[in-house]
Amino acid sequence: MSAQTPFLVFSGTNSRYLAEKICNSLGCPLGQMNIQHFADGEFSVSYEESIRGRDVFLVQSTFPNADNLMELLLMIDAAKRASAHSIIAVIPYFGWARQDRKDKPRVAIGAKLIADMLSAAGINRLITMDLHADQIQGFFNVPVDHLYASSVFLDYIKAELPLDNLCIATPDVGGTKRASSYSKYLGLPMVICHKSRLRANEVAEMRIIGDVKGLDVLLVDDMVDTAGTITNGADAIAQRGAKEVYACCSHAVFSDPAIERLEKSALKEVIITDSI
């Protein structure tokens, strides 16, 4: 890299594709880093160029969770020990965000634990996108830039979807605020899907609050994991008389059997970002 560049961008293993796109947009090369793996699964990271006195951006989503998080923590520690001026963690998909509170006795608050680990490792700032729960920003004692995929989705929605007959929907009550912002910006009506769960990743019942008969419906969510919620919502909306059902989600986790469920569902199109 040029010595005149005030910042450097590095990537973890599984976010290299996104980091390269970021660097192409910035007009700078991706920083050189070596990640060495040992036979027992341990790995180490090292920067292959000087980062002394530079602002270092480390791009790494935490999915799949454990290895990518540990890799990021080692990248942060190595940058701190190499005398970087500042260390900015760019985590488009922040894992463990569903564990943002004690919803029953004797459970961990995973999101707070991850925040503490990142802070202890030495980050000066966090850039992330569409957190599952906005209050996670308060778990950090460093500045958090919380970006929204809506800035990208809304342009696509206005250009590609039938706005004259469109209705915004949320697949669960927790996403009401997110869907409401889309509804207000586009000037469209909104309906709510209310789900009840038997256990994690398994939806027991889905009810629709609002009228969707004869409308095209766009389901808005922050993430799709096994796709149980989004497909049950889409099927329930279609059964209530909707013409066509679309979905947009920021983080396409797509754990099995998500693809199979999406293909068999009433969804016509799923719009995603490349955060993962």
Side-chain angles (χ1 to χ4, degrees), residues 244-276:
E244 291 181 338
V245 187
Y246 306 84
C248 70
C249 73
S250 306
H251 309 299
V253 179
F254 288 177
S255 305
D256 286 336
I259 300 299
E260 181 182 353
R261 284 175 171 174
L262 291 169
E263 289 176 341
K264 292 179 178 179
S265 73
L267 287 167
K268 179 180 180 181
E269 180 179 355
V270 181
I271 310 157
I272 63 173
T273 75
D274 50 8
S275 66
I276 298 177

Side-chain angles (χ1 to χ4, degrees), residues 109-250:
I109 304 180
K112 171 59 175 169
L113 175 62
I114 303 308
D116 289 344
M117 292 169 69
L118 290 168
S119 298
I123 65 169
N124 300 106
R125 192 177 201 95
L126 171 71
I127 301 175
T128 188
M129 186 179 78
D130 278 339
L131 288 168
H132 189 69
D134 288 350
Q135 65 266 24
I136 291 172
Q137 297 174 74
F139 294 171
F140 289 87
N141 291 321
V142 298
V144 176
D145 294 307
H146 186 203
L147 309 180
Y148 297 94
S150 56
S151 59
V152 178
F153 283 146
L154 287 168
D155 288 340
Y156 180 87
I157 292 167
K158 288 188 290 185
E160 301 294 334
L161 299 189
L163 291 180
D164 57 336
N165 195 46
L166 192 64
C167 173
I168 303 297
T170 173
D172 56 40
V173 175
T176 302
K177 182 180 177 182
R178 182 180 299 105
S180 178
S181 65
Y182 279 74
S183 173
K184 289 178 181 178
Y185 182 87
L186 295 169
L188 300 173
M190 186 183 87
V191 301
I192 299 172
C193 301
H194 181 265
K195 69 181 178 185
S196 58
R197 289 189 186 273
L198 288 175
R199 57 188 66 89
N201 293 128
E202 186 175 332
V203 178
E205 183 182 13
M206 185 74 72
R207 298 178 181 176
I208 309 300
I209 304 171
D211 186 16
V212 295
K213 188 172 183 180
L215 298 176
D216 298 305
V217 178
L218 173 66
L219 282 159
V220 177
D221 208 355
D222 65 311
M223 64 180 290
V224 172
D225 189 356
T226 60
T229 298
I230 203 87
T231 54
N232 282 339
D235 293 344
I237 286 170
Q239 291 169 9
R240 292 283 291 269
K243 289 174 60 180
E244 291 181 338
V245 187
Y246 306 84
C248 70
C249 73
S250 306

Side-chain angles (χ1 to χ4, degrees), residues 12-14 35 37 41-43 45 60-75 96:
T13 302
N14 284 349
I35 301 175
H37 290 262
E42 182 183 337
F43 47 86
V45 305
Q60 179 80 310
S61 283
T62 63
F63 178 81
N65 290 310
D67 280 358
N68 283 343
L69 175 63
M70 190 63 197
E71 190 176 283
L72 176 59
L73 292 170
L74 291 173
M75 290 163 64
W96 289 276

